[in-house]
Amino acid sequence: MELNTEPKSSTGEIPLLPGERIDPDINGREVVYICPYAGEISGELYFTNYKLCFRSSDPNKPKVMHVPFCFISKIDKYGGSRSKADNSYGITLTCKDIRTLRFAHNPENHSRRDVFDKLKQYAFPLSHSPTKQLFCFEAKVSVCCVIDLIDRLY
């Protein structure tokens, strides 16, 4: 499947599928991904209507991660706004493919609340809003391809 080149994030590095749109509310949030192997990786968090994207801003630890929202089975907050230790305030995602992802937020700007609410909306759309439309690819099929396919079937 061909990746859509428009629209992209302001950085221009988030590849999109046809029909996928970047959420302007959670576009480039600064977070720290707590990787179990590489340690703390600072970067930016992006949401589309299909997936969560994390892109490292540290040139020594390049990392790009895409997690479709349908892979998320549980979302938890950890820490309180008064937590003073490094990376003790954030969100933990438990995925259906056995991954556990931890994203630390800065408690001073309270960005965790917005990210948590949007995650719930996208990961569990029917429990959040029964009328919410789910992500769907935009297929672009030419008439010639359809006629050719019908000819092959008959």
Side-chain angles (χ1 to χ4, degrees):
M1 177 170 282
E2 200 172 304
L3 291 177
N4 187 5
T5 57
E6 289 184 25
K8 288 189 176 185
S9 68
S10 59
T11 60
E13 295 183 16
I14 305 296
L16 301 175
L17 297 169
E20 191 173 6
R21 306 282 181 263
I22 291 180
D23 186 328
D25 295 335
I26 312 293
N27 188 2
R29 291 287 175 101
E30 291 184 19
V31 295
V32 175
Y33 169 57
I34 303 171
C35 179
Y37 311 109
E40 300 169 356
I41 303 173
S42 60
E44 297 171 336
L45 194 63
Y46 298 90
F47 285 2
T48 71
N49 55 341
Y50 172 67
K51 66 187 173 203
L52 170 150
C53 302
F54 172 80
R55 199 192 69 204
S56 170
S57 59
D58 186 356
N60 297 328
K61 297 180 183 180
K63 182 152 185 83
V64 176
M65 181 172 35
H66 302 275
V67 180
F69 289 120
C70 62
F71 282 24
I72 298 172
S73 63
K74 187 178 178 184
I75 305 168
D76 290 317
K77 294 180 187 179
Y78 66 89
S81 61
R82 294 184 178 160
S83 301
K84 297 297 179 195
D86 286 344
N87 303 324
S88 62
Y89 176 79
I91 295 174
T92 302
L93 304 176
T94 305
C95 297
K96 294 174 185 173
D97 61 356
I98 313 301
R99 288 184 290 177
T100 301
L101 309 172
R102 291 178 56 127
F103 293 100
H105 294 260
N106 185 352
E108 294 172 3
N109 60 11
H110 299 286
S111 67
R112 180 179 75 168
R113 180 181 310 136
D114 297 337
V115 172
F116 183 77
D117 290 341
K118 283 290 184 176
L119 270 172
K120 285 194 311 185
Q121 285 179 10
Y122 285 126
F124 312 114
L126 297 179
S127 61
H128 180 71
S129 173
T131 59
K132 175 89 172 155
Q133 297 224 346
L134 303 176
F135 172 75
C136 182
F137 292 107
E138 286 178 0
K140 295 179 181 175
V141 181
S142 69
V143 175
C144 296
C145 293
V146 173
I147 292 171
D148 190 38
L149 181 63
I150 291 172
D151 288 341
R152 289 182 193 172
L153 290 174
Y154 297 105

